[in-house]
Amino acid sequence: MQTIFVMVKCELGRAYDVADQAVDIERVSEVHSISGQYDLMLKCYLDDGQDIGQFVVDTLQVIPGIKDTFTLIAFKAFS
């Protein structure tokens, strides 16, 4: 299982609409509103070997209201 975090920049006034749609995507585990240059942060779990770029482009970037994304790949979770 691969963990990625995708920071999302939304069109003005669309962050809640984008968040509502993102939480319904199967591979999206969590959606958080954040401060700073981006509006939302999505935590996603992908199958090993799944193409991360294709998931982001074909599944997330097509959500109406998204202007930009920035993807971080997690290496290890510490507990």
Side-chain angles (χ1 to χ4, degrees):
M1 188 71 61
Q2 305 177 85
T3 304
I4 64 170
F5 294 88
V6 181
M7 297 192 304
V8 176
K9 189 177 293 185
C10 302
E11 295 173 1
L12 291 177
R14 300 291 308 270
Y16 278 68
D17 296 332
V18 171
D20 287 341
Q21 292 182 62
V23 295
D24 291 334
I25 297 171
E26 181 182 350
R27 296 292 181 190
V28 176
S29 170
E30 301 172 24
V31 177
H32 297 267
S33 61
I34 58 174
S35 63
Q37 294 181 327
Y38 290 85
D39 303 300
L40 301 171
M41 184 177 314
L42 285 55
K43 183 177 184 181
C44 308
Y45 293 109
L46 307 180
D47 292 330
D48 287 332
Q50 183 172 354
D51 188 312
I52 294 169
Q54 188 171 17
F55 170 77
V56 172
V57 170
D58 293 347
T59 306
L60 300 179
Q61 290 183 347
V62 297
I63 297 173
I66 290 183
K67 284 177 40 175
D68 191 20
T69 60
F70 183 84
T71 303
L72 302 163
I73 300 170
F75 297 121
K76 178 177 176 57
F78 297 91
S79 47

